[in-house]
């Protein structure tokens, strides 16, 4: 069984995109703060999380607190992009094997959401072009 949160923190810290393959369930769903519909499936969830590693995973990124209840966790984070402070939460649910089934990101304030949308769109396009 996977220690989901320990693995997640390591992958985020190391920006280890390849480690997502083992951590995500095949039926994983990603809920973006800027895309209306849930993104369903391991491949698209991996793509969004990989982009987030690159966009959000800078030197200022830090998790501020973590609330865990069974197979659910809420991790509050803070980072800065282009001088804009971003405050948000990752809401993570995993299965009995420790694989992430549902990943929801919520972000505030509005100008942080707009900046994140701009940066994530560019990163997703770059990742798509690369491969």
């Amino acid at each position: 069984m996977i220690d989901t949160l320990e693995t997640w923190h390591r992958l985020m810290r190391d920006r280890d995109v390849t480690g997502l393959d083992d951590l995500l369930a095949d039926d994983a769903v990603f809920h973006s703060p800027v895309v209306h519909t849930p993104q369903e499936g391991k491949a698209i969830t991996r793509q969004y999380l990989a982009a987030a590693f690159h966009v959000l995973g800078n030197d200022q990124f830090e998790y501020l607190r973590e609330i865990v209840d069974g197979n659910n966790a809420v991790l509050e984070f803070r980072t800065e992009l282009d001088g804009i402070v971003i405050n948000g939460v990752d809401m993570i649910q995993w299965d009995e094997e420790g694989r992430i089934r549902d990943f929801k990101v919520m972000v505030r304030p509005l100008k942080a959401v707009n900046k994140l949308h701009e940066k994530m769109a560019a990163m997703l396009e770059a990742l798509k072009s690369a491969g």
Side-chain angles (χ1 to χ4, degrees):
M1 187 168 114
I2 299 168
D3 183 332
T4 309
L5 294 179
E6 180 181 313
T7 303
W8 172 255
H9 285 297
R10 181 179 49 77
L11 296 180
M12 184 66 185
R13 181 185 62 246
D14 298 344
R15 297 184 193 105
D16 179 5
V17 174
T18 59
L20 290 170
D21 294 330
D22 291 332
L23 186 58
L24 295 173
D26 291 338
D27 61 349
V29 178
F30 182 79
H31 306 268
S32 167
V34 295
V35 177
H36 178 68
T37 57
Q39 304 300 299
E40 299 180 358
K42 184 177 187 171
I44 192 77
T45 299
R46 182 187 186 279
Q47 186 177 1
Y48 272 87
L49 291 174
F53 280 4
H54 292 289
V55 170
L56 292 172
N58 58 33
D59 292 339
Q60 286 92 26
F61 184 90
E62 64 178 329
Y63 279 113
L64 304 172
R65 62 182 145 172
E66 189 171 288
I67 302 165
V68 181
D69 181 24
N71 288 8
N72 294 280
V74 176
L75 287 62
E76 181 184 6
F77 65 86
R78 181 198 177 285
T79 193
E80 192 173 317
L81 289 179
D82 297 344
I84 296 172
V85 174
I86 296 177
N87 180 232
V89 294
D90 292 334
M91 300 169 68
I92 306 171
Q93 180 181 66
W94 56 92
D95 62 20
E96 298 75 30
E97 296 175 354
R99 288 189 172 77
I100 294 175
R101 299 195 66 218
D102 195 83
F103 200 108
K104 182 183 293 183
V105 181
M106 301 177 88
V107 172
R108 61 166 300 281
L110 180 58
K111 71 180 181 178
V113 173
N114 293 335
K115 179 56 69 177
L116 186 60
H117 181 239
E118 170 194 326
K119 297 285 190 179
M120 285 290 290
M123 182 54 67
L124 287 166
E125 190 59 39
L127 290 173
K128 194 183 300 180
S129 298

